[in-house]
Amino acid sequence: MTTNIPALIREYIQDELRGVYTVSMVVLESVDMDAMRCTVSLKRDQDVIVDNVPIASTFARSDGYGIVVPVEPGETEGFILHVKEPLEDLIVDSGHQEITQQRQFSPVDAVFFPTIWNANDTTPAQNVGDYEQGEYLLAHPSDSLIRVKPDGRVIIEDSNGQTWTMDATTNETRFEHPSGPTLTIKNGEIDIEATQVKIGDLAQAVAVAVQQHTHNLRRCDGSTVDTDEPNEDGTDTLIS
């Protein structure tokens, strides 16, 4: 009986390679945002738990600066990357470190990347509803947004609907409030679209110039001042 030794060796090597996982898909189980560490379970086997896993960031420095992504158990999945060297020797201090162990690609030597959406998840682009191709979007769980449009406009919006838009093309900054008032700064002018303008410090209210329309102004002391009729010639009506 003859034995094909090279074929057996190749089969053995292939079996060994199948058992080496350098990346695994996981579900976030718990998180410590102060330490930027988490506990995860393998998505294919909930009984396999890996704890004290560093959370990766697109920008991390050792002096307290960087980007922190809010991740929540039950809402976040991603990948853990199993590094070749023992992490416990390498992530204590910054700078070059010596390693004291020689294990390779162990499940405990993992870094968590919360970087994917499943097919049935709601993506930020779907959530905002008016996403444009090429737009940079940062959507916070509080429903506050930071958006950079393809044309360069920057829009910041909070969960109440207050919006700040900066447009470099028109050199215009616009503040919008959900109750209606809008303030626009452009070309050295300030335009206020509102049914009422309240000036907080009466001592600072020297004069108000109104064009093309009437205004009813109520001072902080309760008194009111009215323009009698709109100016049709575009000149200012001065109220003081």
Side-chain angles (χ1 to χ4, degrees):
M1 179 178 179
T2 59
T3 302
N4 189 338
I5 300 298
L8 290 175
I9 293 176
R10 284 195 297 270
E11 183 178 353
Y12 174 79
I13 293 174
Q14 289 173 353
D15 288 340
E16 288 298 308
L17 289 175
R18 292 190 190 101
V20 176
Y21 297 97
T22 55
V23 177
S24 301
M25 192 168 182
V26 295
V27 176
L28 183 66
E29 299 291 343
S30 64
V31 61
D32 180 351
M33 294 305 294
D34 288 336
M36 291 298 289
R37 298 291 188 271
C38 66
T39 298
V40 298
S41 62
L42 295 186
K43 188 159 185 176
R44 58 184 170 82
D45 189 345
Q46 63 181 356
D47 294 326
V48 178
I49 303 293
V50 185
D51 61 4
N52 198 34
V53 179
I55 301 173
S57 172
T58 56
F59 174 45
R61 289 176 42 152
S62 61
D63 55 359
Y65 296 95
I67 296 175
V68 175
V69 178
V71 292
E72 295 289 341
E75 301 294 337
T76 306
E77 297 184 3
F79 296 98
I80 51 174
L81 173 66
H82 306 281
V83 300
K84 183 177 180 180
E85 298 87 358
L87 269 182
E88 61 195 59
D89 290 337
L90 298 178
I91 60 173
V92 177
D93 295 306
S94 59
H96 298 286
Q97 303 289 330
E98 294 183 0
I99 58 175
T100 60
Q101 304 178 64
Q102 297 301 319
R103 65 174 183 264
Q104 295 185 355
F105 303 112
S106 170
V108 298
D109 299 319
V111 178
F112 178 54
F113 292 81
T115 55
I116 62 166
W117 284 276
N118 294 300
N120 292 325
D121 290 345
T122 300
T123 67
Q126 294 169 334
N127 192 36
V128 299
D130 59 348
Y131 178 81
E132 297 182 46
Q133 188 68 31
E135 174 183 344
Y136 176 87
L137 171 63
L138 192 158
H140 190 267
S142 66
D143 288 331
S144 293
L145 306 172
I146 297 178
R147 312 175 71 169
V148 181
K149 293 290 189 176
D151 60 7
R153 284 176 297 137
V154 179
I155 303 172
I156 301 175
E157 181 178 347
D158 71 6
S159 56
N160 291 327
Q162 298 179 103
T163 305
W164 177 16
T165 303
M166 293 170 285
D167 191 333
T169 303
T170 61
N171 196 28
E172 178 178 303
T173 301
R174 186 178 181 90
F175 302 89
E176 298 175 78
H177 194 275
S179 64
T182 298
L183 184 149
T184 304
I185 303 173
K186 60 180 179 179
N187 301 323
E189 299 177 354
I190 299 178
D191 295 335
I192 302 177
E193 302 173 17
T195 57
Q196 185 182 79
V197 178
K198 184 176 181 180
I199 301 173
D201 187 353
L202 187 61
Q204 301 298 321
V206 178
V208 177
V210 182
Q211 292 185 352
Q212 300 291 350
H213 56 280
T214 62
H215 262 291
N216 175 268
L217 303 180
R218 184 174 61 192
R219 297 191 178 102
C220 293
D221 61 4
S223 62
T224 60
V225 178
D226 299 307
T227 56
D228 294 330
E229 59 185 21
N231 283 333
E232 300 299 334
D233 58 1
T235 59
D236 292 344
T237 296
L238 189 63
I239 304 172
S240 59

